[in-house]
């Protein structure tokens, strides 16, 4: 049987790039001569992204459009794409052509060899600031040292996953989704293809520093609780030092008499420890906040409308259409509960 493919493209204010991205993707996928669908997820863009995609949908029945009611974030947009995807192999790719669509063909070749996850490894990153490259490098090193999950360095969400992997990921209902971590966590036969990450083709990055920090915190907190142990480590170290100092003070008292000095050191110690305690409380807060998020049980995303998911159309193109029905039912369940 011929394989079918789903390509997921998350988009947030990408009016400048969509049309070119669509054409490049179409060119690559048409060359395969196998059924495919392009799932474009509009993550609450405030520009013309939605209307441009709607226009494209009318011309090309292979396009599927998921329009969110507001901005839910990159990782959630990818997740929605997976919920709706019907392909035997699913590819996630950024909208800005930083990940060259041609690499998808290499990924598919690996998939046909029997690999279930093929991630893109960035050999080189063009046009990204030194700051971004350094922080990314440090972050992935740090994450690896904190967790047992083997998240490969220099990879993003540009990857191909098999239907089996997609189904497993769909079953993970956590709200703070760090998709690349989850993909490593689920296992399966994984391999990589190397590629040169291009410059953003047009527009600006949709990941300002604030979002990058939030993303990093999601990554750490969803795979490690080692930061929570900070309190105990610091506690032990401080108790031990205090004990030593206590002995010193006692000896001074017994053999030397005490002269009342040391205001500066008292203040220094007090400030230091208040700072430490607040940091530790903050760390605990990061986790509690996420537990709170999870416990509310709100839906992961809200879809305003979809386009291009008609069962007959999909059947005619050789794509199954059960996932879409499932996704719609799941949303209804959320709404009811
Ligand atoms: N994106 C999204 N929602 C967001 C932020 C980004 O769907 O809230 C999409 C964006 O349109 C792009 C991809 O995620 O397709 C990666 O974003 P970007 O290229 O800006 O990140 P960078 O490559 O600079 O890390
Ligand atoms: Mg980019």
């Amino acid at each position: 049987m011929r394989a079918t493919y789903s390509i997921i493209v998350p988009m947030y204010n990408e009016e400048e790039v969509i049309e070119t991205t669509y054409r490049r993707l179409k060119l690559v996928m048409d060359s395969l001569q196998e059924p495919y669908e392009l799932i474009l997820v509009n993550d609450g863009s405030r520009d013309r992204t939605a209307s441009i995609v709607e226009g494209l949908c009318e011309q090309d029945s292979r396009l599927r459009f998921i329009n969110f009611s507001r901005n839910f974030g990159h990782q959630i947009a990818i997740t929605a794409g997976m919920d709706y995807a019907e392909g035997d192999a699913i590819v996630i790719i950024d909208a800005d052509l930083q990940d060259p669509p041609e690499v998808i063909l290499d990924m598919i070749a690996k998939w046909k060899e029997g690999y279930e996850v093929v991630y893109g490894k960035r050999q080189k990153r063009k046009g990204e600031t030194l700051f971004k490259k350094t922080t990314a490098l440090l972050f992935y090193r740090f994450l690896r040292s904190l967790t047992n999950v083997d998240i490969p360095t220099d990879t993003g969400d540009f990857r191909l996953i098999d239907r089996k992997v997609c189904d497993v990921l769909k079953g993970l209902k956590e709200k703070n989704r760090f998709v690349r971590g989850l993909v490593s966590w689920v296992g399966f036969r994984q391999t990589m293809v190397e590629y040169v990450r291009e410059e953003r083709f047009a527009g600006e990055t949709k990941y300002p520093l604030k979002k990058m920090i939030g993303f990093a915190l999601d990554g750490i907190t969803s795979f490690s609780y080692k930061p929570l142990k900070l309190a105990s480590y610091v506690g032990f170290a401080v108790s031990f030092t205090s004990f030593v100092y206590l002995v010193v003070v006692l000896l001074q008292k017994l053999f030397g008499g005490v002269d009342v000095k040391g205001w500066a050191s008292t203040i220094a110690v007090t400030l230091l420890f208040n700072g430490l305690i607040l940091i530790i409380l903050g760390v605990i807060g990061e986790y509690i906040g996420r537990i709170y998020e999870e416990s509310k049980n709100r839906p992961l995303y809200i879809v305003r409308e979809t386009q291009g998911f008609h069962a007959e159309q999909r059947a005619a193109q050789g794509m199954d259409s059960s996932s879409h029905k499932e996704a719609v039912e799941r949303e209804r369940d959320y709404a009811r509960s």
Side-chain angles (χ1 to χ4, degrees):
M1 212 198 94
R2 288 193 307 170
T4 57
Y5 304 95
S6 302
I7 315 292
I8 300 172
V9 192
M11 294 173 313
Y12 179 54
N13 295 341
E14 301 285 12
E15 60 180 8
E16 288 158 285
V17 301
I18 312 170
E19 276 161 322
T20 317
T21 305
Y22 160 69
R23 274 198 298 275
R24 284 268 296 275
L25 279 170
K26 184 171 154 51
L27 216 63
V28 168
M29 295 312 293
D30 281 346
S31 73
L32 269 171
Q33 304 199 316
E34 285 179 292
Y36 70 90
E37 58 179 1
L38 295 179
I39 304 180
L40 307 178
V41 187
N42 175 32
D43 185 13
S45 303
R46 271 184 282 264
D47 63 359
R48 293 180 305 121
T49 301
S51 57
I52 297 176
V53 175
E54 275 163 5
L56 290 175
C57 277
E58 266 150 40
Q59 296 163 24
D60 187 342
S61 63
R62 287 204 184 83
L63 280 180
R64 321 272 182 248
F65 182 36
I66 304 172
N67 198 7
F68 278 1
S69 63
R70 63 167 169 85
N71 180 251
F72 281 89
H74 178 204
Q75 303 290 299
I76 305 289
I78 296 176
T79 307
M82 290 190 203
D83 283 345
Y84 284 81
E86 303 284 358
D88 301 318
I90 293 102
V91 177
I92 301 156
I93 186 167
D94 282 357
D96 57 1
L97 290 178
Q98 281 196 283
D99 314 320
E102 294 71 28
V103 179
I104 296 177
L105 297 178
D106 303 336
M107 291 181 168
I108 290 176
K110 291 274 180 197
W111 175 69
K112 286 187 170 162
E113 282 172 30
Y115 290 101
E116 288 143 328
V117 174
V118 188
Y119 52 86
K121 190 170 168 67
R122 301 158 181 175
Q123 226 177 23
K124 233 193 251 161
R125 300 169 74 141
K126 287 192 196 162
E128 283 183 311
T129 57
L130 188 67
F131 176 74
K132 180 138 189 170
K133 283 190 241 182
T134 329
T135 45
L137 185 84
L138 290 177
F139 170 65
Y140 285 105
R141 295 280 135 80
F142 183 58
L143 192 63
R144 276 167 86 101
S145 67
L146 281 182
T147 61
N148 308 324
V149 186
D150 193 16
I151 301 171
T153 44
D154 288 324
T155 61
D157 287 313
F158 182 32
R159 54 187 68 212
L160 177 149
I161 59 176
D162 185 82
R163 164 92 287 164
K164 282 189 282 245
V165 180
C166 183
D167 287 342
V168 173
L169 289 173
K170 276 161 68 178
L172 305 176
K173 282 293 153 223
E174 52 201 84
K175 304 279 184 309
N176 291 297
R177 298 185 86 81
F178 187 65
V179 175
R180 56 196 75 170
L182 293 176
V183 174
S184 299
W185 181 82
V186 298
F188 291 93
R189 280 190 295 266
Q190 309 214 354
T191 187
M192 52 132 178
V193 294
E194 283 191 310
Y195 73 101
V196 177
R197 188 156 159 95
E198 297 292 335
E199 245 172 276
R200 183 176 246 283
F201 157 73
E204 278 169 6
T205 174
K206 306 300 176 303
Y207 265 99
L209 187 63
K210 199 171 143 217
K211 267 196 196 167
M212 264 164 65
I213 294 174
F215 184 59
L217 285 176
D218 276 346
I220 294 169
T221 50
S222 43
F223 287 97
S224 170
Y225 62 90
K226 276 192 192 149
L228 285 176
K229 293 184 178 166
L230 190 67
S232 9
Y233 296 147
V234 173
F236 276 117
V238 169
S239 306
F240 179 73
T241 334
S242 309
F243 180 75
V244 174
Y245 189 57
L246 183 72
V247 174
V248 173
V249 170
L250 282 178
L251 289 177
Q252 272 180 347
K253 164 90 184 152
L254 286 176
F255 299 107
V258 189
D259 46 346
V260 189
K261 267 193 272 172
W263 183 84
S265 56
T266 313
I267 287 292
V269 169
T270 313
L271 290 179
L272 179 75
F273 283 99
N274 280 330
L276 265 180
I277 290 168
L278 287 178
I279 291 174
I280 291 169
L281 275 180
V283 171
I284 299 175
E286 288 293 332
Y287 284 87
I288 295 184
R290 284 176 171 78
I291 298 173
Y292 172 60
E293 280 288 311
E294 296 292 335
S295 67
K296 280 187 294 194
N297 213 15
R298 289 187 187 155
L300 218 48
Y301 52 86
I302 300 167
V303 175
R304 180 190 290 145
E305 75 222 322
T306 59
Q307 213 173 312
F309 286 100
H310 310 296
E312 321 77 63
Q313 185 177 316
R314 279 186 145 181
Q317 286 162 7
M319 312 280 309
D320 181 23
S321 102
S322 49
S323 277
H324 175 242
K325 264 183 255 145
E326 265 172 44
V328 170
E329 266 159 33
R330 203 165 28 245
E331 265 163 48
R332 251 189 240 127
D333 285 347
Y334 275 133
R336 254 189 247 122
S337 62

